[in-house]
Amino acid sequence: MRKVLCSPGSYIQQENALFSLSKEYEGIGTAGAYLLVDPFIDEHYHDAIISSFEESGTAYRLEVFGGECSTEEIDKHREQSDDYDVLIGIGGGKTLDTAKASAHFAGKPVMIVPTAASSDAPCSRLSVVYTSDGTFDHYLPLPKNPEAVIMDTELIAKAPVRFLVSGLGDAFATYYEAAACVQSNAMTMAGGHATNAAFALAQLCHDTLLADGVKAVAAARRGVRTPALENIIEANTLLSGLGFESSGLAAAHAIHNGLTALEGTHAMLHGEKVAYGTLAQMVLEDSDVEELREVYGFFREVGLPVSLEDIGVPDASDEDLLKVGELACDAADTMGNMPFEVTPHDVASALRAADELGRTL
């Protein structure tokens, strides 16, 4: 049996890391860095991003991300990066996924610099590609993980709290999906079956979220670094990233992808929709009521969605939810990793029941 555990070349978590990017780059490339930067981050941190390149005389080109990780955006930055030997993505999940995909097609290494602990995508060898209007299109598996993932904890502490909470939602799915994949002996996106190490990381991620999630959100509301916030940054990014990629995805992320078809959810962040997908997965699994109480309670404490209204579709019809179910159960998605058969009707029912449980628990 083939088992695979994959990870980035290095993971660096440090305050004010944004001011030393050229030093990290110099360990990977020599011809110059192509910087793909989220527009908000460029507006507020432009000088910090380029400071080390200017001081060291390292060649660079900075381009602002167009807003959607689409095939068109990926192709654009692949072409524009011809004269540079490393791509560096700086910003949120879609900026980072675009940098990874563009680097892949250009045959170049990529460095990832998340500006919030908002998802588990930074460490992975995967990009999620959307259409230009924001609907999920396809997963793009990549042949290798980023050369480096750099987390500036000072910057992340000052990011909008909603981003950290979204990261909690994305990370919270890790253990539940990993457990489903281990039970079904599913193939992971790393190209093998789960290792014991990967599943242990998924479990550690779950335990860390419950232990430090509430405290970390409190620190982030004040924009300060604390041990709890440091632990959650690592859980949201590294533990969840390695845990999901090398243990597997199941219903929660498949349901997220289905939810993108409903226009009302487009204002929601990835992790917020994944969190609701986790609740629906727990309904599908007929989870113990006390565990459901714990999860719903935790979600409320940190500000994650517990109802259809919370994810922007309070008036979702049965037809809407069935559409979500049909997309979630697509053969190309990860619903097939569940240890039992799940139909579109099952998903629609679970979404409705999760909403009702949000009122009663």
Side-chain angles (χ1 to χ4, degrees):
M1 180 186 294
R2 174 181 169 86
K3 295 188 176 186
V4 178
L5 172 65
C6 59
S7 69
S10 60
Y11 174 85
I12 300 161
Q13 185 170 310
Q14 176 186 345
E15 66 274 16
N16 298 317
L18 205 62
F19 290 88
S20 57
L21 291 182
S22 70
K23 179 181 177 182
E24 305 297 344
Y25 158 78
E26 288 163 8
I28 302 172
T30 58
Y34 183 90
L35 311 177
L36 177 58
V37 186
D38 176 272
F40 177 87
I41 297 301
D42 181 61
E43 180 182 351
H44 290 85
Y45 295 98
H46 180 90
D47 291 344
I49 291 167
I50 68 171
S51 61
S52 61
F53 293 94
E54 293 285 348
E55 291 167 9
S56 64
T58 303
Y60 71 91
R61 173 176 175 175
L62 189 151
E63 290 291 334
V64 176
F65 176 55
E68 193 58 72
C69 183
S70 62
T71 298
E72 294 78 10
E73 186 76 5
I74 291 166
D75 289 343
K76 171 186 170 183
H77 296 291
R78 174 186 57 80
E79 294 170 1
Q80 292 182 172
S81 65
D82 279 349
D83 296 333
Y84 303 87
D85 60 359
V86 177
L87 277 78
I88 304 180
I90 307 171
K94 291 188 177 183
T95 303
L96 305 181
D97 275 5
T98 302
K100 286 192 284 185
S102 297
H104 162 62
F105 289 118
K108 298 172 182 178
V110 64
M111 290 172 53
I112 295 300
V113 187
T115 51
S118 59
S119 82
D120 56 17
C123 291
S124 73
R125 55 173 70 184
L126 177 72
S127 288
V128 183
V129 182
Y130 295 81
T131 62
S132 57
D133 66 358
T135 301
F136 171 77
D137 191 347
H138 65 278
Y139 287 119
L140 175 65
L142 305 171
K144 61 183 297 187
N145 298 72
E147 293 294 325
V149 175
I150 301 169
M151 308 294 291
D152 186 328
T153 54
E154 188 69 26
L155 172 63
I156 292 168
K158 293 177 169 53
V161 177
R162 186 183 175 193
F163 291 158
L164 184 75
V165 173
S166 175
L168 290 169
D170 199 22
F172 203 86
T174 303
Y175 168 72
Y176 292 92
E177 292 187 291
C181 289
V182 168
Q183 187 177 347
S184 66
N185 200 28
M187 287 287 289
T188 72
M189 290 185 173
H193 299 279
T195 62
N196 292 332
F199 188 56
L201 290 172
Q203 290 177 305
L204 177 59
C205 178
H206 175 267
D207 294 346
T208 302
L209 297 176
L210 290 177
D212 285 326
V214 174
K215 294 180 287 183
V217 170
R221 287 194 180 113
R222 293 295 183 175
V224 296
R225 288 182 293 113
T226 64
L229 182 57
E230 293 269 2
N231 289 342
I232 290 301
I233 290 172
E234 180 181 346
N236 283 9
T237 311
L238 182 64
L239 298 180
S240 181
L242 272 61
F244 101 76
E245 186 167 38
S246 294
S247 293
L249 298 176
H253 273 79
I255 291 170
H256 161 276
N257 295 338
L259 286 170
T260 65
L262 303 185
E263 186 175 352
T265 70
H266 289 185
M268 309 307 298
L269 299 177
H270 172 83
E272 293 168 335
K273 288 176 281 190
V274 170
Y276 196 75
T278 302
L279 298 179
Q281 177 173 326
M282 294 180 75
V283 171
L284 290 169
E285 294 172 327
D286 196 21
S287 295
D288 180 82
V289 69
E290 290 309 314
E291 185 176 15
L292 285 165
R293 287 187 193 279
E294 178 182 57
V295 174
Y296 272 89
F298 175 74
F299 279 20
R300 284 197 177 90
E301 285 185 292
V302 298
L304 285 169
V306 295
S307 69
L308 291 170
E309 181 176 6
D310 290 345
I311 57 168
V313 286
D315 301 318
S317 65
D318 291 344
E319 183 181 20
D320 289 335
L321 299 185
L322 186 59
K323 181 179 181 181
V324 172
E326 289 168 348
L327 291 170
C329 293
D330 187 278
D333 217 309
T334 58
M335 188 65 77
N337 290 342
M338 293 294 287
F340 47 83
E341 183 182 1
V342 179
T343 69
H345 285 281
D346 293 333
V347 172
S349 297
L351 289 166
R352 188 72 76 191
D355 178 74
E356 184 59 29
L357 284 168
R359 304 174 200 277
T360 58
L361 288 181

